[in-house]
Amino acid sequence: MIFLAVDYGLERVGLAFSDPDEKLAFPAGQIDLASQGSRKAVLDKIAAIAREKNAAAIVMGLPLTENGEDSLTTRQVRNAAQRIARRAGLPLYQMPEFLSSFEAAGDLRACGIGRRKAKNYLDQQAACRILQSFLDQPAAKRRPM
């Protein structure tokens, strides 16, 4: 089964896909929100990408606070996740994430990618981290929303 992971941010959305064997996550680009004109267009584009890549489900990174609680951003992401899943007609999984962008920045530095260039890869790398965490869980623990 192929999963599409979404790291939904305020400026950009990072995307990643799994392999069909559900072992590895691969970066699949990012969408600059400002370039799309509206949030509706962004949600439609993500749903179209999911269909185009034959994703069987969507995994949305859920940005919780340090204490594991919801914030305003968490609520916005939950809302966007439900809209994307509805548009794509796919099951939705939510994966709690904390510091995925920070860790992704470390991954990029370790690969020799400087801060300036990292902006072009940061969100898709964060989506990879979210998806890999999801894939590393036993399948029995995965529950769609």
Side-chain angles (χ1 to χ4, degrees), residues 112-124:
I113 298 174
R115 179 175 273 164
R116 206 172 264 168
K117 281 188 178 181
K119 181 179 178 183
N120 298 322
Y121 305 101
L122 182 63
D123 297 288
Q124 59 187 317

Side-chain angles (χ1 to χ4, degrees), residues 45-125:
K45 184 170 185 166
I46 295 168
I49 291 169
R51 287 189 300 272
E52 175 186 307
K53 299 288 188 176
N54 295 318
I58 296 170
V59 177
M60 195 81 162
L62 196 61
L64 301 174
T65 65
E66 289 178 32
N67 302 328
E69 298 173 359
D70 283 8
S71 65
L72 174 60
T73 304
T74 309
R75 290 187 292 277
Q76 290 171 336
V77 169
R78 282 186 200 276
N79 185 18
Q82 291 174 350
R83 289 179 174 188
I84 293 166
R86 236 186 349 261
R87 281 174 167 79
L90 296 173
L92 170 67
Y93 295 84
Q94 294 179 342
M95 185 67 195
E97 56 135 326
F98 181 68
L99 298 176
S100 63
S101 293
F102 178 77
E103 292 169 344
D107 293 344
L108 296 173
R109 276 193 307 277
C111 292
I113 298 174
R115 179 175 273 164
R116 206 172 264 168
K117 281 188 178 181
K119 181 179 178 183
N120 298 322
Y121 305 101
L122 182 63
D123 297 288
Q124 59 187 317
Q125 182 62 29

